[in-house]
Structure formats: structure tokens, C-alpha cells
Amino acid sequence: MLVTDHAWPSLDVERAVLHDAELVVAPTGDPAELVALAPDVDAILTCFAKVPAEVLDAAPRCRTVARYGVGVDNIDVAHATGLGMVVSNVPDYCAEEVADHTLLLILALARRLAPLTRLVSGGGWDATGTGTAVRLRGKVLGLVGLGAIGRALVPRAQALGLDVVALRRSTPLPTGVRAADSLDDLLARADIVSLHVPATPETRGLIGAAQLASMKPTAWLVNTARGSLVDTDALLAALRDGQIAGAGLDVTDPEPLPSDHPLRTRDDVVLTPHVAFASDGSLAELARKAATNVADVLAGRTPATVVNPEVLTSSRLRL
């Protein structure tokens, strides 16, 4: 098994699930390095590292690519399907953690946490110039996407007195949540816009200059989903021009942001380094479920979550 990268100190969970399998751990996860390590592997486990077509082509024995996580935008799924590889993910391991983190970003924006902590860490104490906190009760939280994370966020938000509206495909609305007619409708109504959709070609740049301009000048944008959903340059311009009042970001595009990027030091931005998914419990669950997906494929079973189900009936399926 080739492990391209992992966000936890030990692979003990994977070794316990996969028993006698040899884990080949890539030192850096660089594509050229992965190409060199791929020829003899039966499976690939990947977290953040890119698994492009050239890596897949270099792995003639590989039967499955398992993502440590929800989104699979770092894997060339179409190419894997053409080669007969089962691609799996773990869509349900961190909903509670990401919902908690989303709420954290909202609270940090409301209570002006970034400028206040900078003030104190710099030796100051007089908060007169750091802005006024915002009362959340009665504000409208607009959820773009209502999957497991969005649904987990609803009761948390309602406990703070937020009025929740949601844009969703067809899932029923939780109690007390109202439906938005369109993205434009949600952007115009919401005091806080929170993104909870996957990264796909259709959602890339979902929030750009036009969408930011249609938001309230007092509104905040929160993104704990994928950085590619938001046009970073447009967001920075909207903040500078006062088109919106703030942003809470756990993900960015590019990621990581350059060390001198202006978003890192703005008082109207709360920025964390793509950690919303992580806790002691979620990481253990993630490792176990991703490794189990690999074990299932190698034992001739269908894993719990298949991203490309069409491959299961393909004549190219690698058995």
C-alpha cells in the first residue's frame, strides 16, 4: 500500500486494519516521487497529496485509491475509472468537528477575536480601536449545501439564536430551517454565508466578484469546505472595498496562502490552516474507515463509499 501523506503521527490504525500489508510511506508526496514508488503497489491511500494521471499510470497493479477525507479533487477520478481502479472516500467522519469549527469562526468574527488577540499579544489592553462585537441573535445564517456538515451546524446555530436558511438540492429541511430559492436569494438575505459543498468543476469559483457584490456590506463569508469555491482575489478586493464585512476561512486557494498574503493579517479575517476536520476521534475514525475501504476492495468486497460506482460493472475493473 502506498501512503502518499497523512495528517497524524502514526499509521498504527492502518496497520491493524490491513494486517500484514506492507505500507510504503512517501517522504514528501511529490508526484515524481509517487511515480517512482507506484509500480509495485496494490492500493494507494492519500490525504492531501495530488494523485494525477501519471501516478495512476505508473501503478499497473493498483486496484484502488482511497482518500483520507471527503473531497476527491486531489485524485484524477476519471483516469482511475478508465484504468479500472475503485476510488473511495470517507464522507461522514468529521461532520461534528467541521460544524464546531464553522461555529468557532462565526463566533470569532462576532467577538472580534483576531484584533483583540493581536492587541493583547502585542502588549496592549485598550480595545477602543478594535471595533464593536456583533450580536448574533436574530441574524440570518445562509448555508450553501445541506449535507452532513450543514445539518450538524443547524442546531448549533439555532442555539445561538441564528435564523437559518439553506440552499440544497433535494434533502428535506431540518426543523426551523427555511429554503432559499437560489444562490442569489441566499446571498442577498444572509448576514453570514457558510459554504458546505464539495469541490467540483461546477463549484469552482462559486463565490466570485459578482456574488460578493450581492452580499450585504455587513455580511461575513465562512468557508470550511474547499478553497477553490472562493475566488481569493475577489474576496480580498471585496474586503478592501467594504463590500462585505469579514471572512472566516479554514481553506484557501492557493493552499497554503503565501506567507505575505494580505488575508493573513487583516483584522476582518479569521484564518486557520485547514484543520476543521481534525480531532483525536475524527482522525482515528478516518484512518480506520479509509483503510477498511482498501481492505474491502482487495478482498473482493465493495467498500462502504465508492466515488466512481460505474467502475464496479466495467470490464476494466481490476480484480
Side-chain angles (χ1 to χ4, degrees):
M1 318 298 167
L2 172 59
V3 180
T4 67
D5 61 316
H6 53 98
W8 41 94
S10 166
L11 294 173
D12 290 346
V13 172
E14 290 89 333
R15 289 189 172 92
V17 171
L18 295 166
H19 302 297
D20 296 329
E22 178 186 354
L23 299 185
V24 179
V25 183
T28 69
D30 179 78
E33 176 185 85
L34 299 180
V35 167
L37 295 173
D40 295 327
V41 304
D42 299 290
I44 297 172
L45 280 156
T46 186
C47 190
F48 296 124
K50 299 288 186 183
V51 185
E54 56 265 31
V55 173
L56 300 173
D57 286 337
R61 291 176 43 179
C62 183
R63 294 165 56 186
T64 185
V65 182
R67 169 83 211 287
Y68 288 119
V70 182
V72 291
D73 46 305
N74 61 322
I75 302 168
D76 191 332
V77 176
H79 198 72
T81 302
L83 293 173
M85 300 178 189
V86 176
V87 179
S88 62
N89 67 342
V90 185
D92 57 353
Y93 77 100
C94 64
E96 299 296 323
E97 282 80 4
V98 179
D100 287 345
H101 201 89
T102 304
L103 192 65
L104 167 71
L105 296 177
I106 293 170
L107 286 167
L109 288 166
R111 299 305 307 176
R112 304 289 294 155
L113 186 64
L116 288 171
T117 53
R118 287 183 185 128
L119 169 71
V120 175
S121 63
W125 195 258
D126 182 359
T128 305
T130 60
T132 304
V134 173
R135 177 178 288 180
L136 290 175
R137 182 166 296 277
K139 293 291 192 290
V140 176
L141 171 62
L143 302 180
V144 182
L146 199 60
I149 294 167
R151 298 181 80 84
L153 181 58
V154 168
R156 291 163 166 78
Q158 290 173 331
L160 295 178
L162 288 166
D163 182 16
V164 184
V165 298
L167 183 66
R168 88 287 190 219
R169 291 181 178 176
S170 58
T171 56
L173 289 169
T175 302
V177 177
R178 294 176 292 131
D181 295 331
S182 64
L183 178 59
D184 289 341
D185 176 48
L186 183 144
L187 295 174
R189 292 164 63 183
D191 298 294
I192 308 160
V193 175
S194 189
L195 306 180
H196 301 285
V197 292
T200 67
E202 293 72 30
T203 61
R204 173 171 285 278
L206 179 70
I207 304 297
Q211 291 72 33
L212 292 162
S214 69
M215 292 171 61
K216 298 177 182 180
T218 54
W220 305 324
L221 177 68
V222 177
N223 188 9
T224 53
R226 279 292 187 270
S228 63
L229 303 179
V230 179
D231 181 329
T232 302
D233 292 339
L235 174 60
L236 180 58
L239 290 165
R240 285 174 170 168
D241 296 343
Q243 290 182 323
I244 65 171
L249 309 172
D250 184 57
V251 289
T252 59
D253 184 21
E255 192 172 289
L257 286 175
S259 60
D260 60 348
H261 196 282
L263 285 178
R264 287 180 177 260
T265 55
R266 290 187 65 90
D267 282 347
D268 52 6
V269 174
V270 180
L271 186 63
T272 55
H274 201 154
V275 294
F277 68 95
S279 76
D280 52 358
S282 69
L283 294 179
E285 180 182 3
L286 174 61
R288 176 176 55 80
K289 287 186 173 181
T292 299
N293 283 339
V294 168
D296 283 342
V297 172
L298 298 185
R301 300 185 295 266
T302 301
T305 49
V306 180
V307 173
N308 56 342
E310 63 272 23
V311 79
L312 299 176
T313 56
S314 169
S315 61
R316 296 183 178 181
L317 176 65
R318 295 185 179 179
L319 300 174

